Amino acid sequence: MGFVRNIEIEGRLSIPKEIRDRRQIYCGSEIIIKPEVGKLILSVSDSLNCIFCCDNTDLELVYFKGNIVCKQCLNMVLANATALKKIDETLDMENRNSNMIKMKKLIELDPEIKQSQIAEIIGVSRSRVSQMKKVGKLVYNKKNFLS
């Protein structure tokens, strides 16, 4: 199957994405052009490039999750991943604290409230309410704790 492409004003020729994907041609890949009578033969060089910055001058290219990445980009990816994880943990902790506060307020308003009612109002499971009670070290009578 052949593709027809026009040369752009700047002299560029775009290679269709499905060919680039199939032949593993990425940003910065070196393409060798061999002119022959009536045709041009394109082949991909064996040089490797970082998938993020397209640089192949860094001698420290590594494989990261199946891709070739330079050490500088890898460090940035890992730093961002760590930052995102910390943000997720912070948001999760804020949500947990929010649920704990809601539960305490409900119990203050109605000391006889059942665990199932707390779970329904807060939007968590009964077992989560039980865990929050233990973590919050709230004092309950035996009747409410087992309900």
Side-chain angles (χ1 to χ4, degrees):
M1 174 168 113
F3 291 88
V4 176
R5 290 288 186 258
N6 292 325
I7 302 290
E8 296 175 6
I9 293 173
E10 297 85 7
R12 293 184 293 226
L13 173 69
S14 84
I15 300 170
K17 180 164 177 30
E18 59 189 63
I19 292 176
R20 292 192 318 262
D21 290 345
R22 195 174 335 133
R23 301 290 180 197
Q24 298 178 342
I25 300 171
Y26 304 109
C27 171
S29 293
E30 292 180 0
I31 305 294
I32 300 167
I33 303 170
K34 295 180 185 173
E36 292 197 1
V37 178
K39 60 184 171 183
L40 293 174
I41 298 175
L42 305 177
S43 59
V44 182
S45 171
D46 290 335
S47 68
L48 303 174
N49 302 306
C50 173
I51 62 163
F52 295 114
C53 67
C54 303
D55 190 6
N56 67 355
T57 58
D58 187 344
L59 297 177
E60 294 191 58
L61 295 172
V62 295
Y63 279 97
F64 177 70
K65 296 193 176 191
N67 296 298
I68 299 166
V69 182
C70 69
K71 291 275 187 166
Q72 183 178 0
C73 289
L74 179 61
N75 289 336
M76 286 194 308
V77 167
L78 294 176
N80 287 332
T82 302
L84 288 174
K85 185 177 179 184
K86 286 180 183 177
I87 290 169
D88 286 344
E89 289 171 356
T90 302
L91 292 174
D92 187 44
M93 189 56 73
E94 287 174 3
N95 187 40
R96 287 182 185 185
N97 290 340
S98 169
N99 286 341
M100 184 71 78
I101 292 167
K102 289 176 189 174
M103 184 180 74
K104 286 180 180 180
K105 295 264 187 213
L106 288 170
I107 293 168
E108 286 173 7
L109 292 171
D110 181 5
E112 299 295 317
I113 192 168
K114 294 183 178 182
Q115 190 168 303
S116 58
Q117 292 171 317
I118 295 171
E120 188 176 325
I121 293 169
I122 295 176
V124 297
S125 68
R126 284 178 55 189
S127 61
R128 180 68 187 128
V129 171
S130 178
Q131 289 172 344
M132 289 185 338
K133 284 181 180 181
K134 290 175 186 174
V135 169
K137 296 180 179 146
L138 299 174
V139 179
Y140 296 95
N141 63 35
K142 196 171 187 177
K143 178 185 166 196
N144 283 339
F145 190 77
L146 296 175
S147 61

